[in-house]
Amino acid sequence: MAEPLRIALAGLGTVGAGVIRLLETNAALLRARSGREMRIVAVSARERHKDRGVDLSPFAWVDDMAELAARDDVDVVVELVGGSDGPALALARKAIASDKALVTANKAMVAHHGAELAAAAERAGTALKFEAAVAGGIPVVKALREGAAANAIGRIYGILNGTSNYILSTMEATGAGFGETLAEAQRKGFAEADPAFDIEGTDAAHKLAILAAICFGAEVDFAGVTCEGITRVRAEDIARADTLGYVVRLIGMADLEAGDDGTTALLQRVRPCLVPKGHPLAHVTGATNAVVAEGNFSGRLLFQGAGAGAGPTASAVVADLIDIARGEIGAPFSIPSAEMAPMPRAEAGHRTGRTYLRFTVADRPGVLAEMTAAMRDAGVSIESLIQQGRQEEGGEVLVAMVAHEGPERNVQHALELLRGSDSFTAPPLSMQILGD
Amino acid sequence: MAEPLRIALAGLGTVGAGVIRLLETNAALLRARSGREMRIVAVSARERHKDRGVDLSPFAWVDDMAELAARDDVDVVVELVGGSDGPALALARKAIASDKALVTANKAMVAHHGAELAAAAERAGTALKFEAAVAGGIPVVKALREGAAANAIGRIYGILNGTSNYILSTMEATGAGFGETLAEAQRKGFAEADPAFDIEGTDAAHKLAILAAICFGAEVDFAGVTCEGITRVRAEDIARADTLGYVVRLIGMADLEAGDDGTTALLQRVRPCLVPKGHPLAHVTGATNAVVAEGNFSGRLLFQGAGAGAGPTASAVVADLIDIARGEIGAPFSIPSAEMAPMPRAEAGHRTGRTYLRFTVADRPGVLAEMTAAMRDAGVSIESLIQQGRQEEGGEVLVAMVAHEGPERNVQHALELLRGSDSFTAPPLSMQILGD
């Protein structure tokens, strides 16, 4: 048997403890599959004396985690600290500079600094792996980097945030409102005390930027993701969607467009969408993640599983360790960094699609005429319109419409025409309707 | 850029033509992702002068395909001939013996001779890859061999035959019978003129045996798969299942059991099952394949996509070529052959589960008493029973029951007690009910 793979572990939260537990529980299996023993030699975290439910006594303790990267007895640094910059980034840079392989679950860091880190790892001839940074236990980075690598990917999209999906699918099942469902999700541990990162779409945007880089050979461009969360989705929207044959899901989607002048541009968006009930993503409920890749030869591929949690994330971290133990390194984003370049950002406005629009308006004469006139003036053709009878005297009236297939620009224009109107009790919500 | 990867292609059916088309269409992409040009140098097939819609003139033509393995200008042989033995096996053996890498889409050959071929490839230090042999374009071999490799897999199961799934899901949608639906599937090209291989479960069994070997580290044991097809499923069974909250799917499933004496045994089965409507596999319709792997850390992973066809299969073949071009070889079944051994076959009888049973009986007094007495005597407890009113005088009556959770052996015993009874107009059908 070859030499052990010597691992340093930075960050001992639930995922770190999960990795320790996995390496222990599945030790014999991992030895058989990778041909080497996986041996943690050193660990580091903020607090040394905290009960994590795992025995740290076999490992060297290091107070300054950056020192892990300098140790002679370490082959791979596993970074589970989190945060796009700060200690995590310092450790990552130092590990690669010291010719160590780096495995990370840190989506924020890879989304912000993936291009730099990949270039450094390739120069050093070492591995940078981040399977755990996208969609938890689903081996989707590998699936796209390698399994579907024969394909030009037309579109990559999916449900990339478990918390948002838990909230939306719970609202769907219970009919409850957003605030109430969020509070329940927080009680049950499906949402953080500060949920902004998940429900505003940032977490999904991190993952989307990473997937897009792999699929399209563009430098990771997190700043290029337009992002809208689920905080404005109401119980009524989900009920309307249901009537129309859809469910509401927070969808991250990226695709390319070729300009007339031969340039290629990348569109990356995270936003709530209406998904047809016959679409595989409509059946994804709870804190599950699912990714769809459309290859020009493979057709539509779906990868689904737990998007977070100690076990699934540890599974992905250790899959990367197995690759490294087997000597399978390769370019982190599939195409070598030297051949990747920043890609221009595409304009969404000329994309066409069907759109769901929901207005909450004061119950008084003329409001419907005002809205429909704006649609007409912006060239938006209305396919269907539902006005909900008012619940109480002088109360809010909800008007939902579906716009026919047409340029997104027109819908945006209509909303601009209506901006500032005092007929609305809340800003209108528009959601793209996904095709089958 | 490194040297081109020089490819010999044996077999020029739809998949072979698909591979040629893919290598041409995506050439620039493949060069970027693999770092090498993918160059077909020689091809071989039974008939030389057949229009395949692709230009063969750039490639050397070889009449005797075994010669492909002997050529000095070939790095990889791609075997797309088919058949478990004969020319395909001869070519595969010769390619490996000549230190060439071998890529194959041949599930029958891998299911029958995978252990021998893997051992030979590992001895030769060359690659044996068969992503295309299982579930078409879904990169499930890689997902299990690598992506989920950190996990002990509890169970692997899924929808492994597109033809059967097309037939069952069409019967579900239309209410039509098996024979009629099969004929329609044949007209539409979803079933072969001789459909036995698909509808009797053999094709699914090949794939299951391969997946089980990867997941459980056992030598491929196709002969150990118990196999029952879908030919006896009737429209009435699908209607009953629907009433009970299930759909009918042909499921291949493998899992391990640990004996008291420390031995481990493998159970591999292909058979129609009742799948709860809330289960991800219940939403898989048409000629789609889907595989579920339950890892001890990852939890449930689902991989779904087109299970056959020129494009998807070519996508999988070329993914293997990219791995080889990148130098990623590794043991074909994840664990080195030397460490794999034949695994004893588990007995199904002591497994417990809920079972759907359907009897077609002559419409005369006492038949129900005869059946329920047999259930009682065999220790099978009946959870629900539906007897369909007779359609016509003296006609056949259909009795469907669901047996409570209990040993499968008892159900088999009950069916044995009833064997030979002249009350039945056709042999009874039993289907396992999958849990959530």
Side-chain angles (χ1 to χ4, degrees), chain B residues 61-85:
Chain B
W61 177 274
V62 174
D63 280 319
D64 173 10
M65 64 177 61
E67 278 178 27
L68 293 174
R71 290 177 71 102
D72 288 337
D73 62 351
V74 166
D75 302 310
V76 192
V77 174
V78 176
E79 183 279 306
L80 303 170
V81 180
S84 62
D85 295 81

Side-chain angles (χ1 to χ4, degrees), chain B residues 46-177:
Chain B
R46 245 160 276 158
E47 289 178 62
R48 179 162 189 176
H49 300 289
K50 184 176 163 184
D51 183 13
R52 299 174 167 97
V54 288
D55 178 14
L56 300 179
S57 65
F59 321 130
W61 177 274
V62 174
D63 280 319
D64 173 10
M65 64 177 61
E67 278 178 27
L68 293 174
R71 290 177 71 102
D72 288 337
D73 62 351
V74 166
D75 302 310
V76 192
V77 174
V78 176
E79 183 279 306
L80 303 170
V81 180
S84 62
D85 295 81
L89 182 62
L91 175 65
R93 284 175 173 154
K94 193 168 169 195
I96 292 169
S98 312
D99 294 343
K100 312 254 185 266
L102 181 74
V103 171
T104 179
N106 188 333
K107 55 208 83 167
M109 183 178 77
V110 178
H112 283 277
H113 305 289
E116 173 211 320
L117 294 173
E122 290 171 39
R123 273 195 309 272
T126 190
L128 165 65
K129 294 200 170 264
F130 43 79
E131 184 63 78
V134 183
I138 314 171
V140 66
V141 167
K142 178 171 283 279
L144 297 172
R145 214 192 74 89
E146 305 170 23
N151 294 273
I153 302 293
R155 262 198 317 182
I156 179 91
Y157 64 105
I159 294 170
L160 299 173
N161 182 263
T163 301
S164 296
N165 204 61
Y166 177 86
I167 292 172
L168 291 173
S169 59
T170 303
M171 287 171 73
E172 186 182 306
T174 62

Side-chain angles (χ1 to χ4, degrees), chain B residues 295-381:
Chain B
N296 64 339
F297 280 77
S298 65
R300 181 196 277 171
L301 297 171
L302 171 75
F303 308 98
Q304 187 173 323
T313 311
S315 165
V317 166
V318 179
D320 283 347
L321 292 173
I322 294 172
D323 268 3
I324 292 167
R326 286 173 170 169
E328 297 180 357
I329 294 181
F333 289 97
S334 188
I335 288 184
S337 293
E339 294 170 39
M340 290 171 92
M343 201 176 269
R345 295 170 188 166
E347 294 287 336
H350 60 276
R351 298 294 181 106
T352 63
R354 291 168 68 229
T355 309
Y356 167 92
L357 288 153
R358 182 259 296 156
F359 304 89
T360 48
V361 298
D363 186 12
R364 65 178 188 224
V367 174
L368 208 56
E370 184 187 350
M371 285 189 301
T372 50
M375 296 295 153
R376 179 199 59 210
D377 295 346
V380 176
S381 168

Side-chain angles (χ1 to χ4, degrees), chain A residues 103-105 129-136 138-143 316-317 319-320, chain B residues 147:
Chain A
V103 172
T104 178
K129 293 198 171 266
F130 43 79
E131 184 64 80
V134 184
I138 313 171
V140 67
V141 169
K142 179 173 280 283
V317 166
D320 283 346

Side-chain angles (χ1 to χ4, degrees), chain B residues 169-209:
Chain B
S169 59
T170 303
M171 287 171 73
E172 186 182 306
T174 62
F178 176 80
E180 184 186 336
T181 309
L182 169 61
E184 189 220 319
Q186 287 172 315
R187 273 196 306 276
K188 292 189 174 171
F190 287 107
E192 306 276 351
D194 177 2
F197 214 65
D198 292 309
I199 63 178
E200 300 288 1
T202 315
D203 174 74
H206 285 149
K207 297 170 185 169
L208 181 67

Side-chain angles (χ1 to χ4, degrees), chain B residues 11-26:
Chain B
L12 294 168
T14 54
V15 175
V19 169
I20 293 173
R21 212 170 283 123
L22 195 164
L23 291 178
E24 197 178 296
T25 309
N26 293 349

